[in-house]
């Protein structure tokens, strides 16, 4: 393959990460894939060859992430694309979530992503080349009730990707934040959704949990098409900083932007009234 690349993919033992890993290996790419469970990763990928490097990794540990990136570069002789895919969600209002729960959500979804970016950038910067793909969500633009910790982490990933794109443009490093809608993976399963341990009746967050659980296996998006677009993204000469995937995500984000613009315009007089006279 003329376009063979070396990939680093987090959260690869299930869902989108697993589909992406299998697709990449099928296309002849080299893949370092990570998971908290090495046994599950090896079993679910089901491929054993020199193009596949399975790594057991806690992405919240910055030292371990650096070692995993270094191992990838040493094993394959380089790194071209880093994909931040690992993530999960708590269901619970901001008041319901404990400090530990909220921090865990940010540690995995946000700081895990930051750890991979930092470790990858050291290599990309030296070689003046590299792609970073951060998997966010439509929830990176659109808030929802009882998923505040998830929304906070995904909004942050959108912002940090924008900042990274500005910081790294002169280094020929091209980051993209992907904003998927509802795809038929296991993300709405019990191992990806976690319910706040101390619910408060007034918030009715249990209804949100039930609603999400009932949608599992009924999502409209084709995850194989999503994985294929991530591979295509890495081949784009000029990739977008933001890539919305899914008609549902596109509509929700466009509608949200319109509502925001209308609100901004409604209060424009106040907004413009605060300079020194």
């Amino acid at each position: 393959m003329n376009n063979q690349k070396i990939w680093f993919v987090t959260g690869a033992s299930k869902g989108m990460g697993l589909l992406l890993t299998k697709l990449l290996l099928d296309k002849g790419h080299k893949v370092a894939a990570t998971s908290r469970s090495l046994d599950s990763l090896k079993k679910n990928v089901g491929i054993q060859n020199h193009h596949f490097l399975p790594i057991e990794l806690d992405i919240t540990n910055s030292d371990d992430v650096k070692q995993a990136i270094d191992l990838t570069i040493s094993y394959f002789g380089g790194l071209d694309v880093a994909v931040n895919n690992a993530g999960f969600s708590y269901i619970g209002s901001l008041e319901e979530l404990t400090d530990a729960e909220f921090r865990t959500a940010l540690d995995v979804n946000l700081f895990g992503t930051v750890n991979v970016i930092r470790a990858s950038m050291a290599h990309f910067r030296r070689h003046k080349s590299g792609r970073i793909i951060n998997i966010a969500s439509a929830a990176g633009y659109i808030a929802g009730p009882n998923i505040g910790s998830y929304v906070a982490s995904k909004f942050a990933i959108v912002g940090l990707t924008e900042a990274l794109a500005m910081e790294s443009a002169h280094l020929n490093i091209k980051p993209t934040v992907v904003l998927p809608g509802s795809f038929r993976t296991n993300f709405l399963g019990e191992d990806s959704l976690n319910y706040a341990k101390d619910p408060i009746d007034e918030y009715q967050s249990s209804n949100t949990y039930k609603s999400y659980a009932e949608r599992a296996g009924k999502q409209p998006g084709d995850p194989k098409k999503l994985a294929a677009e991530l591979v295509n993204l890495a081949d784009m000469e000029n990739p977008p900083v933001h890539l919305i995937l899914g008609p549902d995500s596109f509509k929700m984000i466009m509608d949200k932007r319109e509502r925001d613009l209308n609100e901004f315009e409604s209060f424009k007089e106040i907004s413009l009234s605060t300079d020194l006279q």
Side-chain angles (χ1 to χ4, degrees), residues 1 3-4 21-30 51 227-228 231-232 235:
M1 297 180 57
N3 64 339
Q4 184 187 75
T21 297
K22 286 185 172 183
L23 179 60
L24 290 170
L25 292 170
D26 184 60
K27 288 180 171 291
H29 295 279
K30 298 175 181 179
H51 280 187
V231 178
N232 293 337
D235 287 330

Side-chain angles (χ1 to χ4, degrees), residues 160-224:
L160 72 85
T161 305
E162 293 173 353
L164 180 63
M166 298 174 187
E167 295 167 358
S168 63
H170 68 292
L171 299 171
N172 194 37
I173 300 167
K174 300 173 181 179
T176 297
V177 59
V178 179
L179 303 151
S182 187
F183 282 80
R184 198 166 297 182
T185 68
N186 62 350
F187 183 74
L188 297 182
E190 292 182 359
D191 55 348
S192 294
L193 291 178
N194 299 271
Y195 187 49
K197 294 181 175 59
D198 298 311
I200 299 171
D201 289 343
E202 286 87 343
Y203 290 111
Q204 298 183 334
S205 56
S206 61
N207 291 339
T208 302
Y209 185 88
K210 181 180 179 181
S211 172
Y212 276 59
E214 288 175 346
R215 288 166 50 194
K218 302 175 185 176
Q219 303 96 315
D222 184 344
K224 291 183 179 180

